[in-house]
Amino acid sequence: MSQLFTPIMLGQLPLPNRIIIAPMCQYSADNGKATAWHTMHLGHLSLSGAGLLIVEATAVSPEGRISPGDLGLWDDATEQALAEVVQAVKKHATMPLGIQLGHAGRKASCAIPWEGGGQLSYEEGGWQTLSASSLPFNPHEQAPQAMSLAQIEQLKAQFVAAAQRADRLGFELIELHGAHGYLLHQFLSPLSNQRDDHYGGSLPNRMRLLLEVFNAVRAAFPVQKAVGVRISASDWVAGGWDEQQSVELATALKALGCDYIHISSGGLSPQQQIPLGPNYQVPFAETIKRKVGMPTIAVGLITEPEQAEAIVATGQADMVALARGILYNPRWPWHAAAKLGAKVQAPPQYWRSEPHGLKDLFKHD
């Protein structure tokens, strides 16, 4: 029996299998508002048979966007636009929907990737960025503004307001974006956080903001719905955030009732040296699962069904996340189920696509 296709509980939220569609920025919003592209993109992926679909990094404030094309959830207009997308998707798909809430910090105010991705000047439509300290991501970029305590309190309120909007929209899960060099990660790493107040210096101080945001969001989001965190387990830079600090953070999150941890890496510094290859981040997930014992999602160059099955079956992680791989092959879970002798959810309109010899591939309940 395939372990990849067994159900799992994230807190009180049941998932039908262990395949997660990771959040993937589309850079296709209109001043934070979801567009028809999001309906097409998410509708497409919601029919893939995965266990959970997490909507792309969604900014909790306008200045928290990576680019002017980023999705947002900070006012009634952005909420209403996303409501139309969610309602269209849920009309035809049974897959649980989550949303990743985040703030880009010093990595905000950038052009969309296919237009270069560089930092935008004010003349180009850019804006003042914020961070733990006044240290730019690249030396040639404009420095971010070090956040005041009042701005930190405002940030926490913005996360809570976005979580409340996500609940109204019908999302069943929130993932806090503490990875890839964005704002919460900037507070975690000593490379980007050189504060001398109670949000900087020691590990407990650097973890404080993420833990406070988690507590606030968890209190604002219904208990039957799940809240998890995505982290970068390593900066891949000497003296930066690393695996042992990630274990300490995961331990603290578990004590606060975190339902899962999604383990990526990198993104904080252009000096990173990442040894790319299949499963290159899986050892981080394995370590945190073993030492902390909370549900873990492994991600990063997981491309083959047998590879994903082995990660789950051997206990390296509880779930696997797909990003670029499922963009390339949006029916990846169908093909994985066929290879692994499992069943998968598919809409009845597509049942007749079942290949000859794979009778009962699709669940008909």
Side-chain angles (χ1 to χ4, degrees), residues 86-99:
V86 172
Q87 288 162 11
V89 171
K90 282 183 170 285
K91 184 175 181 180
H92 298 289
T94 60
M95 184 184 298
L97 294 182
I99 186 169

Side-chain angles (χ1 to χ4, degrees), residues 18-104:
R18 314 298 182 96
I19 302 169
I20 312 301
I21 300 177
M24 291 175 279
C25 289
Q26 296 298 293
Y27 308 102
S28 300
D30 175 15
N31 196 27
K33 298 187 293 293
T35 64
W37 173 259
H38 294 92
T39 304
M40 292 175 61
H41 167 68
L42 296 171
H44 196 46
L45 294 179
S46 71
L47 303 179
S48 68
L52 172 69
L53 170 57
I54 306 177
V55 172
E56 68 192 84
T58 302
V60 299
S61 67
E63 68 274 9
R65 293 173 296 164
I66 304 164
S67 78
D70 276 33
L71 195 62
L73 189 55
W74 61 71
D75 61 10
D76 291 345
T78 52
E79 180 180 345
Q80 179 55 43
L82 191 52
E84 294 173 12
V85 173
V86 172
Q87 288 162 11
V89 171
K90 282 183 170 285
K91 184 175 181 180
H92 298 289
T94 60
M95 184 184 298
L97 294 182
I99 186 169
Q100 186 184 70
L101 299 180
H103 189 296

Side-chain angles (χ1 to χ4, degrees), residues 298-323:
V299 67
L301 293 180
I302 300 169
T303 59
E304 304 304 318
E306 298 87 351
Q307 178 190 10
E309 175 72 18
I311 291 167
V312 174
T314 60
Q316 292 176 287
D318 296 288
M319 295 155 280
V320 297
L322 304 175

Side-chain angles (χ1 to χ4, degrees), residues 222-246:
V223 67
Q224 72 272 19
K225 298 185 176 186
V227 181
V229 178
R230 193 178 208 187
I231 68 166
S232 283
S234 173
D235 289 337
W236 299 107
V237 179
W241 185 259
D242 58 22
E243 183 179 68
Q244 184 52 46
Q245 292 175 90
S246 296

